[in-house]
Amino acid sequence: MSEPSRRTPDGPIPAGRTSALDRPVARVGAFLVFLSVAAVLAWIHRDDLFPREATISADDPVAKCLAERSADIDKMRQDGVVDPDRAKLFKSRAEALCQAQFGAGSGPPPLPQ
C-alpha cells in the first residue's frame, strides 16, 4: 500500500516528494547558521560572560582608603574586638565611605542659578 499524499493549501503533494527544506543538507545549513549566530553573540558578550579582574592603580585614592580601612578592620578582628560577621559589615561600610569621600560617583546635581 502506498503512503497517502499530504494536502497543502495549494493542493496535494505526491507521496514520494519532499521539500528542499526537509533534506539533510538544509538541516545542516540551519545548524551552521545557529552556531554562527551563537558564536557572534558570545563574542559580543564576552566581557559579560568572562569578566576580567579589575586592576587597581597605585594612584587610586579609593583603593588607598579602602586598603587602610581594611587593614584597621583586620587588626580589630585579630585583636578580638569584632567577630567575623561584624568585620564583613565594617568592610562593606568602609567601601561605601571611601567611595563617598574620594568618589567614583558623579556627586550632587548642580545648584540652580
Side-chain angles (χ1 to χ4, degrees):
M1 187 194 278
S2 68
E3 184 179 323
S5 62
R6 294 177 283 170
R7 295 198 64 72
T8 65
D10 296 332
I13 297 176
R17 291 208 46 194
T18 57
S19 170
L21 296 177
D22 289 333
R23 294 184 181 166
V25 173
R27 292 175 188 239
V28 168
F31 184 68
L32 291 175
V33 168
F34 169 76
L35 285 180
S36 64
V37 168
V40 167
L41 283 173
W43 179 258
I44 290 171
H45 292 285
R46 66 187 177 275
D47 292 334
D48 298 330
L49 297 172
F50 309 105
R52 298 178 183 158
E53 291 188 30
T55 57
I56 298 174
S57 171
D59 298 334
D60 186 11
V62 176
K64 287 180 183 178
C65 172
L66 191 55
E68 291 171 6
R69 300 280 183 252
S70 206
D72 292 341
I73 294 167
D74 289 339
K75 182 164 178 8
M76 289 188 329
R77 173 71 184 105
Q78 289 173 354
D79 293 343
V81 176
V82 295
D83 59 8
D85 292 334
R86 294 260 172 150
K88 184 177 178 182
L89 175 66
F90 288 169
K91 284 186 179 183
S92 70
R93 289 182 178 177
E95 184 178 356
L97 173 73
C98 292
Q99 286 290 343
Q101 283 180 344
F102 300 103
S106 62
L111 295 173
Q113 296 188 16

